Amino acid sequence: MKWNPFNTSVGLALGGGAAKGIAHIGVLKAFEEEQVKISCLSGTSIGALIAAYYAFGKSADDILKLGAQLSFKRMTSFNLLKMGGLFTTDQIRAMIHHDLGDVSIESANIPLAICTTDIISGEQVVFEKGNLADAVCASLAVPGVFVPVEVNNRTLVDGGIVENVPVSLLEDLGAGIIVGIDLNGVKKYPEPSGMIDVLSNAVDICIDLKTRDQLKRADIVISLDLTHYSRSDNTHCIDELMLEGYHPMKAKIRKLLWFKRANILRYLIKVLQEVIPLKIPQLIKNRIRSTLPSIKIK
């Protein structure tokens, strides 16, 4: 999508991170308090679930009540018959149907895109329309843990394999300013105590390295280190985990508002640089950088 300096609509990408996704609710709470409109949403895995609830009209406080159900035990059904995983996403599907209805993605109040992975072709499969529960369940289906979800003759699993913080999806939805929320912004990984831990760390490292590169496409990134929280159950510390997302987003809301005002200024600087053969004096450059650090000046 061609950059439009007059497009200041905000797109929010919510990343995967299992039960740590409660932190996303704090991010949404910060947007609500500052009265900054979210024009479109994208999500991967738990981020897809949170984004879906918000896109269909649930407030941050409404979703916080959902947080009590965001544990591995409550969101899974043991699988005795199907191949491909130990658990099914039937409980998640039932929860979506109960809370939001058996709805299509295109009927959301806020434009929504959900990231999944085709486990056979390795392709990223993006849902901007179609059945909401199908798309969310597919995006949540961690390979080997959950049975893959069959949609439109594709075998789909967790979108985190291809794009754990799906910022690229927001470009197609028309976002002018892209905000990415990374639940796995870790500086180090837990010391492994066995083979499973070693494999888990290896997978996380691969995904996180790719994510850091993909996040370069975002204008604003909230990168959270939530290593001291569980992947499977944080129902005992919902408020604490919510604040992990709330405070960093609150701190960057001012930058986001500056970014909205700065888009046109960036455009004018770019035009001047192309029209005037002289470089902008270094003093002016430094002044602009210190005032609006997100502006890139050649």
Side-chain angles (χ1 to χ4, degrees):
M1 183 182 67
K2 188 176 180 180
W3 177 57
N4 178 1
F6 302 100
N7 181 5
T8 58
S9 61
V10 177
L12 179 64
L14 302 181
K20 299 176 183 181
I22 292 170
H24 285 320
I25 304 171
V27 170
L28 296 173
K29 183 73 171 175
F31 272 94
E32 288 180 351
E33 286 188 357
E34 296 297 327
Q35 299 181 358
V36 176
K37 178 183 177 183
I38 298 171
S39 297
C40 54
L41 287 156
S42 66
T44 292
S45 195
I46 192 64
L49 181 65
I50 302 294
Y53 270 70
Y54 201 74
F56 276 86
K58 299 295 184 181
S59 68
D61 287 338
D62 291 334
I63 304 172
L64 190 60
K65 296 173 185 176
L66 170 70
Q69 301 179 55
L70 296 183
S71 69
F72 185 80
K73 183 177 181 180
R74 295 182 183 182
M75 294 178 66
T76 58
S77 302
F78 191 69
N79 168 42
L80 294 175
L81 301 175
K82 297 180 181 180
M83 299 293 290
L86 297 173
F87 304 93
T88 72
T89 52
D90 293 346
Q91 290 283 87
I92 301 168
R93 184 181 299 275
M95 184 175 69
I96 293 171
H97 285 173
H98 178 271
D99 294 339
L100 305 178
D102 188 7
V103 294
S104 59
I105 297 170
E106 58 268 34
S107 63
N109 300 338
I110 303 172
L112 171 67
I114 293 172
C115 178
T116 71
T117 305
D118 186 319
I119 197 61
I120 296 174
S121 69
E123 296 174 300
Q124 181 182 52
V125 179
V126 178
F127 288 90
E128 295 179 12
K129 59 182 181 180
N131 185 268
L132 177 69
D134 282 346
V136 172
C137 287
S139 190
L140 280 159
V142 178
V145 178
F146 289 102
V147 176
V149 178
E150 301 288 335
V151 184
N152 299 330
N153 296 317
R154 284 183 177 267
T155 305
L156 304 177
V157 297
D158 192 342
I161 297 172
V162 288
E163 191 172 7
N164 201 39
V165 185
V167 294
S168 69
L169 278 57
L170 296 173
E171 295 170 359
D172 292 335
L173 291 179
I177 300 170
I178 293 175
V179 181
I181 310 300
D182 182 13
L183 300 178
N184 301 308
V186 299
K187 295 181 174 64
K188 59 183 292 187
Y189 297 85
E191 183 175 344
S193 58
M195 181 183 70
I196 299 299
D197 289 341
V198 171
L199 291 173
S200 178
N201 278 11
V203 171
D204 285 345
I205 290 168
C206 290
I207 291 175
D208 292 345
L209 286 174
K210 181 187 288 188
T211 298
R212 288 169 201 165
D213 188 56
Q214 292 168 338
L215 281 171
K216 293 176 183 177
R217 301 173 72 166
D219 298 300
I220 293 174
V221 175
I222 303 292
S223 188
L224 304 175
D225 186 347
L226 304 175
T227 49
H228 52 295
Y229 292 95
S230 169
R231 287 178 179 271
S232 59
D233 188 356
N234 293 302
T235 53
H236 60 289
C237 57
I238 291 174
D239 291 336
E240 178 185 347
L241 183 51
M242 185 271 290
L243 291 174
E244 295 279 3
Y246 172 80
H247 289 303
M249 191 68 247
K250 269 287 223 186
K252 286 202 174 181
I253 285 286
R254 183 180 178 187
K255 180 180 179 181
L256 175 59
L257 295 174
W258 266 113
F259 207 101
K260 289 168 73 70
R261 299 185 185 103
N263 256 10
I264 294 177
L265 180 57
R266 287 198 300 167
Y267 176 70
L268 293 174
I269 291 172
K270 183 178 179 182
V271 170
L272 284 173
Q273 287 179 322
E274 292 175 354
V275 173
I276 302 174
L278 300 174
K279 292 279 189 178
I280 298 176
Q282 191 63 42
L283 183 62
I284 298 177
K285 282 187 181 183
N286 292 340
R287 178 60 178 170
I288 293 174
R289 286 196 184 103
S290 65
T291 306
L292 301 170
S294 57
I295 296 179
K296 298 178 182 178
I297 308 172
K298 295 180 182 179

